[in-house]
């Protein structure tokens, strides 16, 4: 998507593209204490033993509010994230580690099965005041169980990360070791049933137009 459009979407109360929406959760003081106790009891670099009632993405949202950032992956045993030469959200070359300050976007990357994707990922995330808005599409049929897998959310210290303009993508120019990891399953991703499919030649703009037509259809 273009930078001007991205910036406008972040400011607008309207939802002209029909993006998926999720209001940011209201976390009670009791829930916050439970989340903090669980996280503090997790040794450095270890897996979080999550057995609380709220969905995992609410716990992750709380950690983001505490200054952590998140990276989702099919890989379950990453001890250190090293920088890699690739492109940022606006297709600008960069050598970096990637993460996000959104609680749900990384879940998409954690539970969509990377192996077998015929045409890659198309996705986007913006924050509009007190809600997140998303576009999720994959290059295979998302109705098949084979399109999904178990994955891991890595909780990373946020100190070295900087935002990509007009995006919820964050980049670190130095390697980062996870503070903790959280195992996740496809059902932990709240938009599994609303993820679209795209074919060869699709772009974020064409997928967004399809999403808008589908969601605004009478």
């Amino acid at each position: 998507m273009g930078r001007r459009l991205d910036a406008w979407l972040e400011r607008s109360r309207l939802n002209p593209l029909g993006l998926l929406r999720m209001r940011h959760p209201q976390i009670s003081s009791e829930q916050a204490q439970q989340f903090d106790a669980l996280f503090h009891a997790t040794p450095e670099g270890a897996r979080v033993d999550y057995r609380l009632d709220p969905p995992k993405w609410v716990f992750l949202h709380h950690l983001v509010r505490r200054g952590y950032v998140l990276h989702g992956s099919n890989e379950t045993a990453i001890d250190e994230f090293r920088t890699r030469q690739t492109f940022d959200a606006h297709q600008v070359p960069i050598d970096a580690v990637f993460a996000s300050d959104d609680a749900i976007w990384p879940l998409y990357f954690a539970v969509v099965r990377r192996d077998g994707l015929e045409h890659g990922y198309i996705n986007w995330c913006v924050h509009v005041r007190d809600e997140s808005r998303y576009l999720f599409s994959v290059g295979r049929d998302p109705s098949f169980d084979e399109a999904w897998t178990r994955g891991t959310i890595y909780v990373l210290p946020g100190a070295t990360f900087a935002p990509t303009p007009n995006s919820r993508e964050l980049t670190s120019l130095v390697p980062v070791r996870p503070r903790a990891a959280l195992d996740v399953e496809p059902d932990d991703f709240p938009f599994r049933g609303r993820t679209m499919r795209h074919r060869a030649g699709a772009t974020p703009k064409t997928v967004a137009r399809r999403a808008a037509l589908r969601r605004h259809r009478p």
Side-chain angles (χ1 to χ4, degrees), residues 9-29:
L9 285 172
E10 287 202 357
R11 296 192 301 269
S12 177
R13 292 184 181 275
L14 303 176
N15 187 27
L17 297 184
L19 299 178
L20 299 166
R21 305 169 78 164
M22 181 68 80
R23 290 186 66 86
H24 296 160
Q26 298 296 314
I27 297 175
S28 68
S29 58

Side-chain angles (χ1 to χ4, degrees), residues 107-152:
L107 280 167
Y108 165 84
F109 291 102
V111 300
V112 170
R113 187 186 298 277
R114 189 179 186 90
D115 292 343
L117 276 181
E118 299 168 352
H119 308 298
Y121 307 97
I122 290 180
N123 55 91
W124 197 247
C125 171
V126 295
H127 286 184
V128 180
R129 296 174 176 83
D130 59 350
E131 72 176 22
S132 296
R133 299 183 184 180
Y134 306 98
L135 179 69
F136 292 124
S137 183
V138 292
R140 68 184 304 178
D141 190 338
S143 67
F144 293 153
D145 288 343
E146 293 77 10
W148 305 91
T149 187
R150 294 179 178 179
T152 301

Side-chain angles (χ1 to χ4, degrees), residues 3-104:
R3 289 183 184 233
R4 291 183 181 178
L5 176 59
D6 300 333
W8 182 78
L9 285 172
E10 287 202 357
R11 296 192 301 269
S12 177
R13 292 184 181 275
L14 303 176
N15 187 27
L17 297 184
L19 299 178
L20 299 166
R21 305 169 78 164
M22 181 68 80
R23 290 186 66 86
H24 296 160
Q26 298 296 314
I27 297 175
S28 68
S29 58
E30 180 180 359
Q31 285 180 328
Q33 291 174 2
Q34 291 177 329
F35 290 156
D36 287 337
L38 173 62
F39 194 65
H40 293 156
T42 303
E44 190 79 20
R47 309 192 93 75
V48 178
D49 184 14
Y50 193 85
R51 304 185 187 185
L52 301 177
D53 290 334
K56 290 179 180 178
W57 73 267
V58 177
F59 171 63
L60 294 171
H61 182 83
H62 176 76
L63 295 182
V64 168
R65 291 174 57 187
R66 290 289 193 249
Y68 292 95
V69 298
L70 309 172
H71 181 104
S73 175
N74 290 173
E75 298 183 42
T76 60
I78 301 175
D79 295 325
E80 181 181 60
F81 287 89
R82 300 178 182 178
T83 63
R84 59 187 180 91
Q85 186 67 49
T86 184
F87 299 91
D88 70 9
H90 303 295
Q91 299 305 301
V92 176
I94 190 171
D95 185 20
V97 176
F98 289 81
S100 178
D101 61 355
D102 184 84
I104 292 177

